[in-house]
């Protein structure tokens, strides 16, 4: 069926072009060598035309109509729209459509920088698409062109690294607070306010980073469904929530999940998705290292923990790891690679069978690993799981509170046990605690007085009392073990 382009875009529709940040000459080379074979000449020409329409010095936006684009590129409206959509799919442009009360459209085009060669080649989909277009010889030439052998060799030979960069205030020590003070109502404040309102800067960000854009979307997944699947049942309601949760757990994107949904055996007779079969399929696929994953989605910015090391409960690194990483990603970071099927099933069950929030599952996993010498005993985890579910723990902050309270209770119990052991009159004999009898306080006092010779001549000695003498003799025999 032919696409009705006039329902989506008209030649008279105006557009505005902005850049997320200045594009360098080197980045334009990335687009030429890495993106051009995939997006084609028409999309490449459109990107170059829009990029050079923005003022280079200030980054100020430019505006025009789509008719001018059609004349400049010699493209019909439908081909122009196709070229723009290929740029959208590759993450090189972001499109927002504005509308006024007269129902006139105004398009806002935000140009984004391309991925660096390292990011591009690390993306499984983009790397293979480029290889399929340019074949082996040219692909190898590009890899050699963008390789950095010196830096790699340096990392291998000089492993001890120290950051000796000086801070701003270490260099500019003479800077006084009075130099940075702008008094309210002063001439300087009025001047700065006038500059902000009269000459607003372009909306660019120096810290903008290009990203691989393969988000999970219904429109993308619909293309992968087989004939025996009904899109409304598979990609709606609880089924879609389940797919989002799976993608987060296994770090998958639309393309990776779509490859799994192609299998017609995953669907029930009513054409809905069998979630249990899909779960088991993904566990098996991961164990066999056949799962298409996008591991660059989750960033591991923390350097204070990694393989064999765990973040301290309650620390910023602990909370950040629980919130950002998926349970599987967290386990992979702890073990330094792929995890065993046992570890995978422990985490997968907590999320999909027990219905716990992923961040709470992360807290439970780290707590169990720290308490059980880097192991995940099933009984121990189920005990904590039941306790947390009974207390309705739903966030990592609540989980941290329970962990710290439990640690305080254990510390108090140990301290109490030590003090109790000191207070009780017990001795060890033949490896067993033996409770020792004690004399009344008054009798003990009298014994001390007799030993020190401070008892008056008229005072009665313990030996004068047959009952006390017998009690003292019995106590002595017990202490000797007779």
């Amino acid at each position: 069926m032919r696409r009705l382009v006039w329902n989506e875009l008209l030649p008279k529709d105006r557009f505005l072009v902005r850049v997320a940040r200045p594009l360098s000459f080197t980045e334009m080379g990335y687009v030429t060598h890495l993106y051009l074979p995939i997006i084609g000449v028409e999309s490449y020409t459109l990107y170059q035309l829009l990029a050079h329409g923005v003022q280079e010095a200030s980054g100020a936006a430019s505006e025009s109509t789509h008719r001018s684009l059609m004349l400049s590129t010699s493209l019909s409206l439908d081909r122009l729209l196709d070229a723009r959509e290929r740029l959208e799919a590759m993450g090189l442009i972001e499109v927002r459509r504005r509308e006024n009360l007269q129902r006139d459209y105004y398009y806002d085009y935000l140009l984004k920088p391309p991925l660096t060669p390292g990011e591009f080649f690390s993306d499984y989909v983009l790397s293979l698409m480029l290889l399929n277009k340019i074949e082996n010889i040219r692909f190898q030439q590009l890899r050699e062109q963008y390789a950095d052998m010196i830096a790699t060799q340096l990392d291998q030979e000089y492993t001890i690294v120290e950051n000796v960069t000086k801070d701003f205030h270490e260099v500019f020590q003479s800077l006084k607070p009075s130099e940075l003070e702008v008094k309210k109502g002063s001439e300087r404040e009025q001047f700065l306010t006038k500059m902000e309102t009269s000459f607003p800067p372009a909306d660019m960000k120096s810290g903008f980073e290009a990203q691989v854009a393969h988000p999970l979307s219904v429109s993308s997944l619909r293309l992968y469904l087989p004939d025996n699947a009904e899109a409304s049942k598979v990609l709606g309601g609880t089924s879609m929530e389940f797919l989002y949760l799976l993608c987060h757990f296994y770090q998958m994107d639309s393309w990776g999940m779509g490859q799994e949904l192609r299998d017609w055996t995953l669907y029930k007779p009513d054409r809905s998705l069998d979630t249990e079969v899909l779960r088991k399929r993904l566990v098996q696929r991961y164990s066999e290292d056949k799962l298409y994953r996008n591991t660059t989605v989750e960033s591991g910015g923390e350097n204070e923990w990694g393989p064999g090391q765990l973040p301290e409960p309650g620390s910023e690194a602990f909370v950040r790891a629980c919130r950002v990483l998926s349970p599987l990603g967290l386990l992979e970071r702890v073990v330094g690679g792929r995890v065993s099927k046992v570890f995978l099933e422990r985490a997968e069950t907590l999320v999909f069978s027990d219905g716990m929030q992923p961040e709470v599952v992360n807290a439970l996993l780290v707590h169990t690993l720290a308490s059980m010498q880097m192991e995940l005993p099933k009984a121990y985890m189920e005990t904590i799981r039941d306790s947390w579910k009974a207390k309705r723990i739903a966030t990592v902050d609540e989980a941290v509170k329970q962990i710290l309270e439990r640690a305080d209770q254990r510390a108090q119990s140990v301290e109490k046990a030590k003090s109790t052991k000191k207070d009780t009159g017990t001795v060890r004999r033949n490896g067993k605690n033996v409770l020792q009898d004690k004399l009344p306080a008054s009798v003990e006092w009298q014994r001390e007085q007799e030993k020190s010779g401070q008892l008056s001549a008229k005072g009665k000695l313990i030996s004068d009392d047959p009952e006390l003498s017998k009690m003292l003799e019995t106590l002595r025999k017990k202490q000797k073990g007779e």
Side-chain angles (χ1 to χ4, degrees), residues 12 38-39 74 78 123 153 211 228 238 273-274 296 352 355 384 391 398 409 418 421 429 449 454 463:
K12 70 173 184 176
I38 299 176
I39 62 178
S74 299
D78 57 340
D123 184 86
Q153 185 178 0
Q211 297 179 350
N228 66 321
T238 57
L273 178 65
D274 193 329
T296 59
F352 297 101
I384 301 178
K391 296 175 182 178
E398 295 173 348
Q409 292 175 0
K418 290 181 179 179
K421 184 176 181 180
R429 185 176 296 129
Q449 294 294 318
Q454 297 178 4
S463 58

Side-chain angles (χ1 to χ4, degrees), residues 234-445:
V234 178
L235 306 177
T238 57
S239 181
M240 193 63 197
E241 294 178 6
F242 174 77
L243 292 179
Y244 271 109
L245 196 58
L246 274 179
C247 287
H248 172 67
F249 184 87
Y250 287 101
Q251 301 161 268
M252 301 174 66
D253 53 24
S254 289
W255 189 83
M257 179 57 71
Q259 303 309 307
E260 304 302 328
L261 295 179
R262 286 179 180 273
D263 190 350
W264 64 273
T265 61
L266 296 176
Y267 303 94
K268 300 178 181 178
D270 63 352
R271 307 183 69 184
S272 63
L273 178 65
D274 193 329
T275 56
E276 290 301 315
V277 175
L278 179 58
R279 276 182 56 191
K280 295 178 181 178
R281 172 71 58 82
L282 294 184
V283 170
Q284 188 65 28
R285 297 266 296 171
Y286 176 87
S287 302
E288 297 174 355
D289 196 14
K290 295 181 179 179
L291 196 62
Y292 298 105
R293 304 172 64 210
N294 183 15
T295 54
T296 59
V297 172
E298 299 184 0
S299 61
E302 306 85 0
N303 296 321
E304 59 267 29
W305 70 279
Q309 297 178 336
L310 298 172
E312 189 69 23
S315 64
E316 182 182 353
F318 181 93
V319 175
R320 185 166 60 250
C322 291
R323 287 176 176 168
V324 174
L325 299 177
S326 72
L328 179 57
L330 183 141
L331 289 177
E332 288 181 329
R333 179 158 185 172
V334 171
V335 304
R338 301 184 62 81
V339 302
S340 65
K341 190 174 182 179
V342 175
F343 272 35
L344 171 62
E345 291 178 343
R346 294 278 195 274
E348 199 263 358
T349 300
L350 291 173
V351 175
F352 297 101
S353 296
D354 300 328
M356 299 180 69
Q357 294 295 326
E359 63 181 57
V360 178
V361 172
N362 285 340
L364 174 55
L365 293 173
V366 176
H367 175 59
T368 304
L369 290 169
S371 304
M372 306 304 292
Q373 300 180 348
M374 306 302 283
E375 295 182 0
L376 295 177
K378 183 178 180 181
Y380 184 86
M381 294 181 62
E382 290 177 347
T383 301
I384 301 178
R385 176 205 64 190
D386 294 342
S387 174
W388 286 8
K389 292 184 71 174
K391 296 175 182 178
R392 297 184 179 181
I393 304 299
T395 64
V396 64
D397 295 326
E398 295 173 348
V400 167
K401 184 179 179 181
Q402 289 294 320
I403 293 173
L404 296 180
E405 287 180 356
R406 179 59 177 166
D408 291 339
Q409 292 175 0
R410 287 183 177 179
Q412 293 175 5
S413 300
V414 172
E415 190 65 28
K416 185 177 180 180
K418 290 181 179 179
S419 60
T420 305
K421 184 176 181 180
K422 293 179 180 179
D423 295 339
T424 56
T426 58
V427 295
R428 299 283 294 178
R429 185 176 296 129
N430 297 329
K432 297 181 180 180
N433 291 330
V434 180
L435 183 64
Q436 293 198 113
D437 295 331
K438 291 185 177 181
L439 292 171
S442 58
V443 179
E444 289 286 355
W445 177 83

Side-chain angles (χ1 to χ4, degrees), residues 22-63:
L23 298 173
S24 66
F25 178 78
T26 303
E27 288 176 324
M28 286 301 183
Y30 298 160
V31 178
T32 302
H33 293 301
L34 304 179
Y35 287 82
L36 173 57
I38 299 176
I39 62 178
V41 176
E42 294 180 353
S43 296
Y44 175 78
T45 303
L46 178 61
Y47 184 81
Q48 294 283 346
L49 183 62
L50 295 177
H52 291 294
V54 180
Q55 296 184 26
E56 297 180 2
S58 62
S62 64
E63 63 173 346

